[in-house]
Amino acid sequence: MVQADSGSQGQTPQLRPPRRSDLPLWLALLLKKQRRANIVPPPWMHPDSLRDVIHHETTVDTKGWAPPPPPRSRADSFGNATRINDLSGKEAILSPPFLPSCTADAPSGALPYHWFELAEMLLAHAGDDIVSASEVRSLLRDLQEVRAAKMRSSTAQLETGVDGVMSLRGVGAMELAESRGFVTGVVEGVRKIGASAEAMRREEEEDERGDGDDEPSDDGMGL
C-alpha cells in the first residue's frame, strides 16, 4: 500500500508489502500503472469529507473559503503542542501544501493547496482505489463550480478602490492560476476608473479656481 504525496525531496523508503509507505506522487502512480502497488487516497477525498467542505462553502461561510489544513504539531508530556519543522530547527521545512496534507494521514474536511491537481491525477490513474470514485468526481465538480463563482463574486470587494483587500486564504493553486487573468483585469479596471475619477476631480478644481479668478474685483470696477 502506498500513500502518495506531492513532495519530491528526501530518500525513498524501502518498500515492504503490505506495509504502507509514503512515496512521491509520480513514483506512486508509476507503481500503480505497473500494478505493483495500491494508492491510499487522502481522507479529504472521501465523499463525506467533500460534502462537509461543500456545506461549509455554501452554508457556513458563503463569502470565504474552507480553511486549509492546519500545520502539523507534536504534543509533549505536559500537553503543550509545538509545530513540527518550525523555523527554530535545522531540518528541512515541509510547506503545509505538500506532505502533511496529501497523504492518508491528512485531516479530513480541509483541502490542501494542490487539492484539484492531486484529485484529478488520482481519479485518472487510481480510480479503483478511491471510495465511490464517480460520486467523488461529481462532488469535486460541484465544489469547483461553487468556489469559482465565489472567486468571481469576491472581486466586488475591490470596487471600493485599488486599496481594497481580498482574502485568498484557503484558495488552491489551480484556482489562483485560473482566476489570475480575471482578478488582474478587475484590478486594472478599478485602477483606470479611479484614475479617471481623479482626473475629473482635478479638472473641476481647476475650473472652480479659474471662475474665481475671472470675477471682477472692486478695483477693476473703479469703486
Side-chain angles (χ1 to χ4, degrees), residues 43-60 66 108-111 131-143 146:
W44 53 265
M45 284 193 66
H46 194 277
D48 292 339
S49 179
L50 291 175
R51 278 191 287 267
D52 292 340
V53 175
I54 294 176
H55 175 74
H56 182 94
E57 297 273 355
T58 57
T59 305
V60 178
S108 61
L111 299 177
V131 178
S132 303
S134 59
E135 184 179 4
V136 170
R137 286 190 180 92
S138 178
L139 291 172
L140 287 172
R141 191 180 305 111
D142 295 341
L143 181 60
V146 169

Side-chain angles (χ1 to χ4, degrees), residues 159-176:
E159 294 179 356
T160 56
V162 181
D163 295 334
V165 177
M166 183 175 65
S167 174
L168 297 177
R169 183 175 183 268
V171 181
M174 186 62 69
E175 295 169 301
L176 289 175

Side-chain angles (χ1 to χ4, degrees), residues 9-215:
Q9 297 181 355
Q11 297 180 353
T12 301
Q14 185 176 2
L15 303 182
R16 297 179 179 177
R19 182 181 178 182
R20 292 184 179 182
S21 300
D22 290 338
L23 296 179
L25 181 59
W26 67 268
L27 181 55
L29 294 177
L30 177 62
L31 294 176
K32 176 64 179 180
K33 184 177 180 180
Q34 297 174 351
R35 298 182 180 180
R36 299 172 61 185
N38 293 327
I39 296 179
V40 181
W44 53 265
M45 284 193 66
H46 194 277
D48 292 339
S49 179
L50 291 175
R51 278 191 287 267
D52 292 340
V53 175
I54 294 176
H55 175 74
H56 182 94
E57 297 273 355
T58 57
T59 305
V60 178
D61 190 356
T62 58
K63 295 183 179 180
W65 287 268
R72 294 194 304 171
S73 60
R74 180 186 294 114
D76 56 18
S77 58
F78 299 99
N80 300 319
T82 57
R83 290 186 178 182
I84 299 177
N85 290 335
D86 57 6
L87 296 177
S88 61
K90 296 182 179 180
E91 300 180 3
I93 300 175
L94 300 179
S95 178
F98 296 98
L99 285 176
S101 56
C102 295
T103 66
D105 298 328
S108 61
L111 299 177
Y113 187 58
H114 296 284
W115 68 272
F116 184 81
E117 306 94 295
L118 183 61
E120 286 291 319
M121 286 187 284
L122 291 180
L123 285 171
H125 302 285
D128 56 334
D129 291 334
I130 299 176
V131 178
S132 303
S134 59
E135 184 179 4
V136 170
R137 286 190 180 92
S138 178
L139 291 172
L140 287 172
R141 191 180 305 111
D142 295 341
L143 181 60
Q144 183 185 12
E145 293 176 356
V146 169
R147 291 167 68 93
K150 191 176 294 187
M151 174 67 78
R152 291 190 296 268
S153 62
S154 64
T155 55
Q157 302 177 25
L158 302 176
E159 294 179 356
T160 56
V162 181
D163 295 334
V165 177
M166 183 175 65
S167 174
L168 297 177
R169 183 175 183 268
V171 181
M174 186 62 69
E175 295 169 301
L176 289 175
E178 292 178 348
S179 304
R180 181 174 301 171
F182 174 75
V183 173
T184 54
V186 171
V187 172
E188 181 65 17
V190 172
R191 188 193 65 80
K192 291 181 179 179
I193 293 175
S196 177
E198 179 66 17
M200 292 180 61
R201 185 184 65 82
R202 291 181 179 179
E203 290 179 0
E204 291 177 356
E205 291 180 353
E206 292 178 357
D207 292 341
E208 291 177 357
R209 287 196 297 267
D211 294 340
D213 295 338
D214 294 340
E215 292 181 357

